[in-house]
Amino acid sequence: RLYRTNDYKKLPDQTEPEIARSDVTSPVLMLKKYGVQDIINWTWFENPGKEAIIMGLQELYQLGALDDFGKITKRGEQMSLLPIQPHLSSVLIKASECNCLSEVIDIVSCLSENLLLNPQPEERDEVNERRLSLCNSGRHYGDLIMLKELFDIYFYDLGRDVTSSVERQDWCKELCISYRGFKNVVKIRE
């Protein structure tokens, strides 16, 4: 152990349950989908706390997943079918309505991983300049568009054959981007 015995004795016997440490919006949406109306007084195996449940209900209401009476809406039903956080499923549904689903799927997939790594302090300005030089729209419209542009370069421009794997790794290293993260993004996107 890297701490003294007295410090060890002060630690809790068990770690805090994950549901008490996590966002409960998705479980609340699933309970609503299955017809549970009184979420606050529902018997949880490990109760996340009243405040967390209320915040989850408020978020679902703001996303249009619940109506004024706390009943699940058609949009909430659609959101519950997607295996992602409700705020992202809401974005995908809206993207489908606006006919830009493919592009938004790319962005949402990129958000699932920490793609941009922190360069060494002495390289930071140079790496940021290289990233921005590739991402003209990202320079003007922000990080989400920059992620989409980087994904397009990785996925479409650098090729998909075995020999391009080395090229992709070099490109990621040069821009201080996680190669493994981009591989996961491609799987998530599919």
Side-chain angles (χ1 to χ4, degrees):
R1 295 192 180 100
L2 299 176
Y3 39 84
R4 297 180 306 212
T5 305
N6 290 339
D7 293 333
Y8 179 74
K9 291 177 183 175
K10 293 177 188 175
L11 294 174
D13 291 336
Q14 295 180 340
T15 59
E16 186 177 26
E18 185 175 353
I19 197 157
R21 296 178 273 134
S22 303
D23 180 24
V24 296
T25 309
S26 290
V28 168
L29 179 60
M30 293 308 295
L31 289 171
K32 284 292 186 178
K33 179 183 177 190
Y34 294 130
V36 177
Q37 295 306 316
D38 188 7
I39 303 279
I40 293 174
N41 294 315
W42 191 67
T43 305
W44 296 79
F45 183 69
E46 291 284 349
N47 196 316
K50 186 176 181 178
E51 186 176 313
I53 295 169
I54 291 172
M55 288 178 62
L57 289 167
Q58 286 175 338
E59 182 178 343
L60 291 172
Y61 176 75
Q62 290 170 344
L63 293 171
L66 301 178
D67 64 16
D68 291 339
F69 303 103
K71 304 267 189 220
I72 193 165
T73 62
K74 181 181 178 192
R75 184 180 197 88
E77 292 279 347
Q78 291 174 321
M79 290 167 60
S80 70
L81 296 175
L82 297 171
I84 56 176
Q85 291 290 323
H87 65 279
L88 293 176
S89 62
S90 178
V91 168
L92 288 178
I93 292 167
K94 185 65 175 177
S96 176
E97 295 166 358
C98 295
N99 296 319
C100 60
L101 184 59
S102 179
E103 294 83 0
V104 175
I105 286 175
D106 293 348
I107 293 170
V108 168
S109 298
C110 287
L111 291 174
S112 65
E113 291 285 328
N114 290 327
L115 294 175
L116 302 179
L117 305 174
N118 291 326
Q120 296 295 324
E122 61 274 3
E123 297 175 349
R124 185 173 296 132
D125 291 339
E126 190 178 313
V127 169
N128 285 336
E129 194 55 43
R130 275 185 284 200
R131 287 175 182 168
L132 291 174
S133 70
L134 291 173
C135 306
N136 294 326
S137 295
R139 180 185 295 255
H140 298 291
Y141 298 109
D143 291 346
L144 296 177
I145 301 303
M146 183 178 78
L147 283 174
K148 170 64 174 140
E149 289 179 303
L150 291 172
F151 177 80
D152 286 347
I153 293 168
Y154 177 87
F155 191 70
Y156 299 110
D157 297 347
L158 294 179
R160 298 184 195 175
D161 58 7
V162 177
T163 58
S164 68
S165 155
V166 174
E167 185 181 352
R168 283 179 169 177
Q169 288 176 354
D170 292 342
W171 179 79
C172 287
K173 187 175 183 179
E174 180 182 317
L175 293 172
C176 205
I177 296 173
S178 171
Y179 174 70
R180 181 180 295 151
F182 257 130
K183 286 175 60 175
N184 288 336
V185 165
V186 170
K187 290 176 186 174
I188 291 166
R189 180 184 178 274
E190 290 172 2

